[in-house]
DNA sequence: GCATGTGAATAGATTCACAGCG
DNA sequence: CGCTGTGAATCTATTCACATGC
């Protein structure tokens, strides 16, 4: 029954947040125990996958019974590093940047927007929520006071790489890129991407090739 | 040299839009020929992967030379179904929905926003760009006039499933879901998802487990 | 000579099927 | 008896390495 601890497969990591969300819902409904089958249903995945994924955490279920919702919640949270708070900076406050800055559910668990940056003088000084937009040149100064863990890039593609470089220079180790551009970062930095037009093009493919297949995937791209 | 035509692997489909983007840049710079190695560099992938991916298209390169940029452009575009125009509807015009509706680059190639829908009376009638926001109850009527290929869900999680159901009823066969909820759709409908908080949680994991690994992944989830 | 195209090798993820335990 | 945990089987994807042909 001892779960193997170590080297959690990438595909598993990508699913843990999904499990976590369903577990929160179960907990909110005062459900205390859940089977792999039930959890799998809620997450739209296969039950064997759930069990194998959870076994990587060394998580204890109870044979013949299932998993304790509270225990799983805290184990997955810990594994994902959601106990600590992660400081986020958003660079680029166009439409998307604004939407991201206003996104509730950041704060939800463990994420806190501590910096908003733009290069356009007309946007500097604007308050978005409780945070004032500063010039991207101030990034190092802000990061010196409040170390930034995660940088979100929401600028036009042509300047995305230089923004990434600045974030890295400011000590950021995780980047989420919304710009439609391929970025390169040093190996110690994790990078994931969200690209709307790529998503649409993939959908276009499967629309055209009616009867398209399609298991499931998770967004982004990472390096570390 | 004949490329094998058929059953393009899912992982390949997800990379085609990436190649396409780099090819557009090359074409814009009047580059007429590109090697798998060069294209791979531009896209941040491995050269062998590029060659194998392109071989699935039955695409002709020239040994000792490389690929013709124009030919590749049109082959990939055709394969992705980007010759025809895809009509898009966005449901939910909160911060994110607005940002999406204003996103230029939709129009870029093959995508056209033809409908904006919300359930909140205070938003009905508002013009976003050239499109007026209508009540989500009008979806069937609008779809009857202009068939909608792709639906984008940008509503709160609790109502995401019913919006998906309505889209499916209105004949939509591809859905891009931004709500943090697991949706189920009939097998003929393609579904992909973009989930910001999942992305952040994955980054959190790799930040915590410093020296994290991470090849690359592409966003979403699909069914068809 | 040089870069494609691809068979074979490797790695990774999913699924099966069942032993093992509460 | 029911459900977890996991070895083994399968499937998918990546990478290697080289024969092929311009």
């Amino acid at each position: 029954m001892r779960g193997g601890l170590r080297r959690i497969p990438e595909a598993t990591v990508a699913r843990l947040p999904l499990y976590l969300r369903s577990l929160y819902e179960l907990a909110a409904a005062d459900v205390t125990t859940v089977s792999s089958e039930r959890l799998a249903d809620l997450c739209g995945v296969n039950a064997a996958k759930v069990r194998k994924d959870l076994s990587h955490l060394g998580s204890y279920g109870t044979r013949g019974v299932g998993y304790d919702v509270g225990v799983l919640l805290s184990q997955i949270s810990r594994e994902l590093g959601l106990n600590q708070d992660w400081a986020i900076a958003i660079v680029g406050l166009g439409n998307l940047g604004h939407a991201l800055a206003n996104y509730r559910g950041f704060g939800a668990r463990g994420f806190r927007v501590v910096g908003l940056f733009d290069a356009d003088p007309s946007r500097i000084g604007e308050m978005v929520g409780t945070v004032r937009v500063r010039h991207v040149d101030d990034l190092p100064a802000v990061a010196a006071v409040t170390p930034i863990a995660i940088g979100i890039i929401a600028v036009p593609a042509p300047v995305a790489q230089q923004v990434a470089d600045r974030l890295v220079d400011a000590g950021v180790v995780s980047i989420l890129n919304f710009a439609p551009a391929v970025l390169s970062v040093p190996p110690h930095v994790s990078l994931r991407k969200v690209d709307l037009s790529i998503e649409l093009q993939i959908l276009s493919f499967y629309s055209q090739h009616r009867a398209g297949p399609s298991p499931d995937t998770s967004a982004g791209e990472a390096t570390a």
Side-chain angles (χ1 to χ4, degrees), chain A:
Chain A
M1 66 159 50
R2 21 169 322 284
L5 299 166
R6 262 348 48 124
R7 222 17 112 233
I8 298 184
E10 167 138 359
T12 295
V13 172
R15 279 187 297 266
L16 292 179
L18 208 57
Y19 300 151
L20 195 61
R21 194 166 66 205
S22 292
L23 289 168
Y24 273 117
E25 287 167 10
L26 290 168
D30 290 320
V31 176
T32 59
T33 297
V34 67
S35 67
S36 60
E37 187 122 26
R38 178 123 165 65
L39 187 54
D41 279 356
L42 291 170
C43 297
V45 303
N46 173 299
K49 206 185 275 187
V50 170
R51 291 200 296 279
K52 184 141 289 192
D53 283 345
L54 296 182
S55 77
H56 289 299
L57 304 186
S59 170
Y60 283 19
T62 309
R63 293 170 197 239
V65 179
Y67 299 89
D68 182 274
V69 171
V71 170
L72 265 196
L73 262 176
S74 75
Q75 292 215 347
I76 295 179
S77 293
R78 188 169 45 74
E79 197 62 47
L80 288 174
L82 301 179
N83 298 326
Q84 58 208 286
D85 245 44
W86 299 98
I88 295 181
I90 299 174
V91 185
L93 284 147
N95 286 312
L96 178 61
H98 265 98
L100 296 174
N102 285 314
Y103 181 57
R104 5 184 118 278
F106 264 161
R109 324 264 167 215
F111 302 98
R112 200 163 31 95
V113 176
V114 300
L116 300 175
F117 301 93
D118 205 299
D120 179 347
S122 71
R123 290 197 184 117
I124 312 295
E126 177 189 349
M127 295 294 294
V128 180
T130 62
V131 182
R132 194 169 59 84
V133 178
R134 305 188 58 169
H135 194 278
V136 69
D137 289 343
D138 295 343
L139 218 169
V142 173
V145 176
T146 315
I148 295 168
I150 300 177
I152 298 183
I153 298 179
V155 300
V159 293
Q161 180 63 58
Q162 57 183 266
V163 167
D165 294 343
R166 284 177 183 233
L167 285 168
V168 171
D169 287 346
V172 170
V173 293
S174 296
I175 293 179
L176 182 53
N177 175 34
F178 283 86
V182 174
L183 303 183
S184 58
V185 295
H188 70 281
V189 175
S190 300
L191 174 66
R192 295 185 64 83
K193 72 163 193 292
V194 173
D195 190 317
L196 180 55
S197 74
I198 286 181
E199 293 306 316
L200 291 176
Q201 289 174 40
I202 295 171
L203 285 174
S204 167
F205 175 91
Y206 288 112
S207 296
Q208 182 173 54
H209 303 69
R210 183 87 53 249
S214 294
D216 78 356
T217 320
S218 233
E221 162 169 315
T223 320

